[in-house]
Amino acid sequence: MRSLKSHGGVDRALLSFNIHADMNPTFHWNVKQIFVYVVANYKTDRNPKNHVVLWDKIIEATDADKVIEQSNVFVKYALVDQSDGLRGEDITLQLMWDHMPITGFMWMEEQDPKTRSKFTLPMDYQ
């Protein structure tokens, strides 16, 4: 957690995370690239289901390294709530990816729910 502030009447959290994901098994002859992203999931009294993308990356089939291993990754996109509902909320971080095939339909996959990271935001602004 880097900061949690009220910004223009809405709560805004900036944070960093560690990521290790071997995306090699995702690729086969019909996958041109994948769009990988980290989603923050949480619920508030006002909105029982919230999904906010915090970070993303495109990995192409031609890339030699398909392993994402980074520490203390700062979010590309802030975690912003529609109102002031972030303080004290439980957050779950989830890795998801979209397959972009050479031919055919796109499809999505996601991290096993048992391996997702969870934390609680502070009650006070920082």
Side-chain angles (χ1 to χ4, degrees), residues 41-61:
N41 301 309
Y42 67 99
K43 56 184 160 181
T44 63
D45 292 337
R46 183 175 176 182
N47 296 305
K49 189 184 267 191
N50 297 278
H51 305 288
V52 179
V53 174
L54 302 178
W55 176 90
D56 59 37
K57 177 182 178 81
I58 294 173
I59 302 174
E60 298 190 19

Side-chain angles (χ1 to χ4, degrees), residues 4-15 40 42 44 47 50-54 75 77-86 91 121:
L4 175 61
K5 297 182 179 181
S6 179
H7 183 76
V10 300
D11 279 357
R12 176 181 165 183
L14 297 175
L15 53 112
Y42 67 99
T44 63
N47 296 305
N50 297 278
H51 305 288
V52 179
V53 174
L54 302 178
V75 294
Y77 317 106
L79 173 54
V80 179
D81 187 58
Q82 275 187 314
S83 61
D84 61 353
L86 282 180
I91 308 293
L121 290 172

Side-chain angles (χ1 to χ4, degrees), residues 2 8 17 22-23 27 44 46 49 51 73 79 91 108 112 120:
R2 302 246 181 131
F17 56 89
D22 182 357
M23 303 311 292
F27 286 88
T44 63
R46 183 175 176 182
K49 189 184 267 191
H51 305 288
V73 178
L79 173 54
I91 308 293
M108 293 173 47
D112 181 343
T120 302

Side-chain angles (χ1 to χ4, degrees), residues 18-93:
N18 298 331
I19 184 169
H20 175 78
D22 182 357
M23 303 311 292
N24 281 297
T26 304
F27 286 88
H28 54 74
W29 70 270
N30 193 33
V31 176
K32 179 180 179 180
Q33 64 186 18
I34 58 172
F35 180 69
V36 183
Y37 47 105
V38 173
V39 178
N41 301 309
Y42 67 99
K43 56 184 160 181
T44 63
D45 292 337
R46 183 175 176 182
N47 296 305
K49 189 184 267 191
N50 297 278
H51 305 288
V52 179
V53 174
L54 302 178
W55 176 90
D56 59 37
K57 177 182 178 81
I58 294 173
I59 302 174
E60 298 190 19
T62 56
D63 291 348
D65 188 9
K66 295 178 180 71
V67 176
I68 305 168
E69 188 159 8
Q70 299 177 12
S71 296
N72 202 26
V73 178
F74 189 69
V75 294
K76 282 185 177 181
Y77 317 106
L79 173 54
V80 179
D81 187 58
Q82 275 187 314
S83 61
D84 61 353
L86 282 180
R87 288 170 291 157
E89 290 299 329
D90 295 326
I91 308 293
T92 301
L93 296 182

